[in-house]
Structures are given as C-alpha cells and as structure tokens.
Amino acid sequence: MNKNLVSPSLKRGLTFGIVMIIFVLIDLDVMVATMLSKLFGANVIRGSLPDVRFMVLFLILFGMFVGWSTSSDDAKPTTKLFQALVAGLTLGVVLGLFDLILNQLIVTGTDVRKYLAALAPESIRLFLFDQGAISPLLHLGLFTVASLLGSLMKILLKSESASRFFKGVKSGYQGLKAKAQANTPNWVKKYGKFLLFLLIGLLAFFLPRIWGSYNNYVVGLVGLYVILGIGLNIIVGLSGQLMLGFAAFFAMGAYSVALLNAPLPHGIMLGFWPSLLIGILMAVVAAVLLGLPVMGMRGDYLAIVTLGFGEIIRILLKSDLLTSFTGGPRGIQDIRGPTLFGQPFSSDIDYTYIILVVMVLSIIIYKRLERSRTGRAWLAVKEDTKVAQATGVNIMTNKLLALCLGAAFAGLAGGIFAARNQFTGPNDHQLMVSMNILSILIVGGVNSIPGIILGAFTLKGLPEILREIENYRLLVFGGLLVVMMISRPEGLWPATRPNIEKDEGNKLKEDGAPGEGGLND
Amino acid sequence: MTDPIIQVKNVSKIFGGLTAVNQVDIEVPEKYIYSIIGPNGAGKTTLFNCISGFYFPEKGEILFYGDPIQGLSTNLVAWLGISRTYQNIRLFSNLTAVENILIGLHPNLKTNWVDAIIHTKRFRKEEGGSVKEALRLLDYVGLKGYGDFLAKNLPYGLQRRLEIGRALANQPKLLLLDEPTAGMNMNETAEATHFIKRLRDELGITIILIEHDMKVVMGISDRISVLDYGTKIAEGNAAEIQANPRVIEAYLGPGGAALSEKYKKQRLSYAKSN
Ligand SMILES: Nc1ncnc2c1ncn2[C@@H]1O[C@H](COP(=O)(O)OP(=O)(O)OP(=O)(O)O)[C@@H](O)[C@H]1O
Ligand SMILES: [Mg+2]
C-alpha cells in the first residue's frame, strides 16, 4: 500500500488522539460516560462516577467514529479497512503513551488538580478502566478494533446492496403511502388533519399541567423565541433587509407593558391586554420612524442604523437621567400579569398556554402572508430589488410593511416576556438578544417554520437542558453548532419552495376534471 | 398608420462625458414590431432603460399614449402597461417558475396584507384566479411541467421564455425585448421569432425589439431604427435599412460602401451573424 494512503490516516489518528487527550484533561470523558449511563437508565448520584462499562462504551463509539470518518468514501473495502486500521493503531498508540503518564500519576499519588481543576484521580482511574499498567494495551486493542468496526459499518451501510436496500424501502414506503392515500375513506382525509390537530391541542393543554414549572419555563422561552424568530424572518428572510437591532422592538413591547402595568414608577395599571396592544403599536411606530429615513438607502444601512438604535434604547433605559421614567438600571418590578374574564390568568401554566396560542397564531399569520401577493413581493424584493420594482412592486411600502409587521411580533413577544418574568430591565434587551434571534434563523433555516422552531429549541432550549453538565455547557453547545453548520449549512430544516403547479394539478384531479398530461409527478 | 403608442422625442442620456443616447426620436404605432439595431455599445439598452424608468434622460420627452412618462419610477411604468425583459436574464432565481410569473401579476392584483392574514373571500378568489392565470401563462410560453423548478435550475432557453412569461403577466400594452434570442441555436431562434410574432398577432401587444440576429430582425420587423454611438442614423423597413449606406458603414467601418455589392453582402451577413 502506498504512502499517500498511510499518512492521512496517521494524521487523523494523531488528531483524534489529541482530541481525546484534551477530553480527558477537562474531564469531558467522564461527563459523556455519565450521560450515556443516564441514557441507559442508570441512576447516577451527583458527584459520583458512572460504571466503567459506560466509559468503555464511550471509547468504543469514539473509535468507531474515527474509523468511519477515516475510510474514504470512494475507496475499495480493503482500502477502507486498511485506513481505519492505521488510524485506530495510531490513536491507540497515542493514548497508550498518554496512559503511561496517567498511570505514573496514579502510582506516585500526584494530585494534578492544582493545575487541571477537573482532573481528579478517580476520573483518571475510570479512564484507565482501573487496570493500571495494562490499560495502554487495552486501549490500543480497543481503539484498533473499534476503528475497524466503524469502517466495516461504513462499508456495509454505504455499499451498493445497502443503498439498493434503502432505495427499496423508500420506494416501498412511498408506494404504501400512495396506496394508503388512495384507500383512505373520504372522511378520514377530511377529518384526519383535524384529528391530528385535536391531539396536538390536547397534548398542549395537558402537558403543561403535568411536567412542572421548570419545563413550562423552558417551553415558554422557546415559544417566545419562535415568535421573535418569525418576526425577524419576515424582515430578514422574506424581504431581505438585514436587521441587527431587533431587540429594540422587543424592548418597546416589554417596557410598554412594564410601564403601563406595574405599581412603580407610574402606577398606571392599565391592565395587561391593553398595554400589550400599546406595546405592539409602539414597536410599529418605532419601526416606521426608523425605517422611513433609511428605506431609500442601500440595504446595509438598515443593519447599522438598527444596531445603533438598539443600543441607544438600551443605554437610555439604563441611564440615571431617565430613572424616574423608566426605572433606570434596576428595571421595573412587579409587573402585573394578564387576566381572563376577570380571573387572574398568570400562573406558569397559563403563560405556557398564552405563549403557545400566540405562537400558533403567529405561524398561521406568517404562512398566510408568505403565500400571498405581499409575501411574494417581499421575496422578489429580496431576490432582485431593481427588477422587482420594474415588475410593478412598490419597494418602499413593501419593505416598510415588512419592517412594521416584523416589529409587531417583537413587541408582542416582549410584552409577554416582561409580564411572565414580572420584571424587565435594560439587561433583558442587550445586543446578544438580537444576535440570538438572528442565529435562530441561520441555525434553523431561513424562511422555514420548522427550521425556526428547531433553531429556537437548539439555541434557547438546549442550553437550558444542558444545564445538567454545567461546566461543559458552552463547550458542548459550541461543538454542536460547529458540527451543525458544517453538516447542514442551510440550516437544520432548510426551506423549500411550494409546488404550485403540482398542487394545482392534484386539485384538478380531485375535482374530477379531466387530468391534464405533462405534470411532473 | 394608427396612432403611436409610444413616442421618444429628442431623448439624450449622458454618463459623465459619454452621451450614450443622443437626441433620439422614435415613434412606434400600435401593434407594430419595431426593431432597434446597432453595433455593440450603440446605446440600445440605455434607450430601453430610459423608457422603462431605470434611467431619467437628461433631455427630451417620452410619451406613452400621449402622456409623458420620463422620470416615473419603474413600478409606475410597469403599472401603466410597459413590460420588459433583460439582456442578461434577470429572473428571481431562487423562486420557482410559477412564482416568478405570479410576481409579474403583481400590478393587476388588489388584495393587501390584511386580506391575506384574514383570508377574506376576496383574497381567496383573487389568489385562486392568479394561480390559474400564472399556470395558463406558463403553458403559453411553453414551460408546462417546469412550473415548480427554481428559475435558476431551468435551461437557458427556458429562462428566456420565463422572462417573457413574467413580462406578459402584467398584461402589457408595450413589451420591450432586449436581445431575446441571444445565446440560442438556430432552431431555438426560429422558434423564438415565431413566438414573438404570435405575441403581437394573438395578444395585440406592441413590441420593441433589440436584436443582433439580422435574420430575425429582417423577418419580423414592421419598422427598424439603427443606432450608432447613441445617434439614430437610419429608420425604415427591412429593405430600406439593408440598402442604407450609413448602416453598412456603421457595421463595416468607413469605406464599407465602396466595397463591391457581392462582397458587401457577404461581409454584412457575416458581421450580422456574429
Ligand atoms: N450605467 C452606466 N454608466 C456608465 N456608462 C454606461 C452605463 N450604461 C451604459 N453605459 C455606456 O453606454 C454605452 C451604451 O451602452 P448600451 O448598453 O446601451 O449599449 P447596447 O447598444 O445595448 O450594446 P450591446 O449591443 O452590447 O448590448 C456604452 O458605451 C456603455 O459602456
Ligand atoms: Mg444592450
């Protein structure tokens, strides 16, 4: 076998070896083993270590990943195995040498926690499978075999027959689906969707009552960010105007509700719903005032102007000058929650309901806008402003409209957010909020509702859930983001365009009109 | 001769020191196919840009049905009933073919965003109607079955047709076609020529055509103008233009008129076919 084959595999083994060493140094290996053991239902008490089996499992998975990724896609099976063998052996040797050092530490009883806070002797023992001097050999064997296994898996899953198998399954599934569609009685077709919605509705009604206030908090947060994502998507994704200070509109909503519905500093106590409405209006007014002067300019100006606007708003809110009016740096406390038919409607559960309902409404509004003359005009402006205008689209009004509607969603979310926390202050409206919302679109997928939901969950929900692993939260999170952006650069769930011609053809067929040929089914 | 649908009167467009269009006069009667030819850089596209509102001419007047339109923004010009295509295709490339045509329908639709959110009866009626109309146009320009393709994924010839489809959606009175057969092979060109004729004959649209392919121009034009360095140097029907010494000179360079008839024709057809 030639040298070109050996050296890349060697390098890979070396790289992954170093990665694993870093994992060990920051104790991430133990963390993952703990998570794996939880996955299998083992009850790990905080502070104690997981069973050694799970460490073995983690290392095997790691080795398999190395083998899988080292075998090149277009190589012959034997070549793949060879590549994996080289990488696995390298990995084993690197870690074996590392093991020798670790073992020395154990034997001499040195405690390195002074330098590496996370590296407790117990963790080291766990990594060495508690086998002392023979653990380098164990690791060498384990990684070699695991790497070969990973390669074998790739060979099997990506082989001709496997792909034929998957294709067969897929076409079989599609056939079944078509058959099922043809055979379903009409009432199922008509009410099936309705039943599904009913089921989701029931779940959305009962789950918040069952799963406790922490989950309600997380779900509410994700829901609010979905609403914000939809708003920003109208501006950025549909009409193509980059906006960096979206949190300013969020602040408009939050502070309107806070100032109009809290005992201090003004004690107006207008009630939640009217103040929410005013909050939305304020956000829209701000959008108009901000948008009008920059509409005529090139796209980037809006980004800069809104960025500045967002920061000015936050700094004004924070300034001592306005303390008597806005509550200053301390913010506004005791914001009164909403009522429904005279009854207070502001428990955790109630807020989850409110947010879910508003979220669903937002999605419906977004969908209807997107598939309308207005939505198409926005998309055209985004694609080619000059040509859109020459096709008859009024650029100014359409861009401004997008800005206002997007801002309205932000005002809405801001109002609910402030009431739910019973507090809002300048720190709720930092630049980071704007960036987070923009990231949701990029990570999830621009112009895609499922993408926005997934993005909001990944960026706002996952960090909350990952709180379990405190110290590594940001590390794991960052790693996930990097992997995601490499493997799915268009977002987790990229948008697709509607198949209008096909749908219309299907509609005609269902109506019993003579089927027209030439449709690309 | 019927009343002119559009009159370009003494129009000049200047870029810095360059007079791209120089005191050009053009009058196009209704239902004419009117061609504008001229060497590269003669100012043909610039003239289109003046008519469609992309440029504001420094001098002169452009009258559409007798009303001045120079200086109007492009969306108003489109709304009045002037549509155009572009020399280098400019579709909304990440949208589907049907969506491109639907956007072309924009000036004829009346519902607004509130209708869309509430899904009023008015909205559903108009939306259903516009989808039908878009599919009809898709078929008309020969893209049936390609409606759900992204514009950028269509083959080149179909992109040209889609651009015409989008322009037709506006129900234009006047259609400006900027080199619609550029980059097509002989068969496609013949088809496109026939199609342009159909637009006039079936839909009654007046067409101004910029074209380098002399076979197309001479075959379908009711009248032809020749631009050279921004100035109109000749106007007439196909035979008159072919015989005009100034035109030959513009295409072949000075002294061209002195060449022998036979050689001249040969050179002319060669120059034109490029
Ligand atoms: N926006 C502009 N700014 C400066 N100069 C321009 C601009 N647009 C066109 N020109 C110049 O004006 C002249 C006429 O250009 P125009 O595109 O109208 O020519 P054309 O007749 O369409 O040529 P072609 O056959 O190559 O399309 C050219 O010299 C061109 O460089
Ligand atoms: Mg040109």
Side-chain angles (χ1 to χ4, degrees), chain B residues 197-215:
Chain B
K197 231 176 138 136
R198 262 179 72 197
L199 292 182
R200 194 265 310 270
D201 297 342
E202 289 175 10
L203 306 178
I205 300 174
T206 312
I207 293 168
I208 306 183
L209 176 72
I210 294 178
E211 187 51 72
H212 276 297
D213 190 325
M214 288 305 147
K215 235 165 115 192

Side-chain angles (χ1 to χ4, degrees), chain B residues 40-41 43-46 87 178-179 210 212:
Chain B
N40 290 111
K44 306 179 295 291
T45 302
T46 306
Q87 185 170 351
D178 199 341
E179 302 195 17
I210 294 178
H212 276 297

Side-chain angles (χ1 to χ4, degrees), chain A residues 368 373 376 389 497 501, chain B residues 99 111 117 127 145 147-148:
Chain A
R368 290 186 165 182
R373 169 180 184 244
R376 286 189 298 265
Q389 187 172 16
R497 302 305 317 153
E501 189 180 22
Chain B
E99 285 178 308
T111 55
I117 290 177
E127 187 67 14
D148 297 332

Side-chain angles (χ1 to χ4, degrees), chain A residues 251 254-255 258-259 262 264-266 312-333 335 423-430:
Chain A
Y255 264 85
L259 292 172
L264 283 172
H266 302 303
I312 288 171
I313 291 282
R314 188 179 63 84
I315 289 165
L316 272 182
L317 292 174
K318 212 173 173 175
S319 73
D320 292 327
L321 198 72
L322 292 176
T323 301
S324 58
F325 183 69
T326 63
R330 290 245 219 93
I332 301 167
Q333 274 103 14
I335 300 168
F423 166 83
T424 194
N427 287 344
D428 285 347
H429 311 292
Q430 282 174 350

Side-chain angles (χ1 to χ4, degrees), chain A residues 61-140:
Chain A
L61 287 177
F62 187 83
M64 281 174 73
F65 172 74
V66 173
W68 174 290
S69 66
T70 309
S71 335
S72 3
D73 281 325
D74 43 5
K76 281 189 307 231
T78 45
T79 320
K80 277 185 185 151
L81 282 175
F82 177 73
Q83 287 171 319
L85 183 71
V86 172
L89 276 173
T90 318
L91 182 63
V93 168
V94 169
L95 285 173
L97 292 174
F98 182 58
D99 287 348
L100 289 178
I101 303 173
L102 288 181
N103 198 35
Q104 203 55 36
L105 292 179
I106 299 279
V107 171
T108 57
T110 326
D111 194 341
V112 288
R113 266 182 287 192
K114 229 189 305 177
Y115 315 105
L116 291 160
L119 199 59
E122 295 79 32
S123 306
I124 298 178
R125 277 218 196 90
L126 185 66
F127 179 68
L128 297 179
F129 306 157
D130 226 349
Q131 297 297 327
I134 59 162
S135 56
L137 288 177
L138 284 179
H139 279 167
L140 181 63

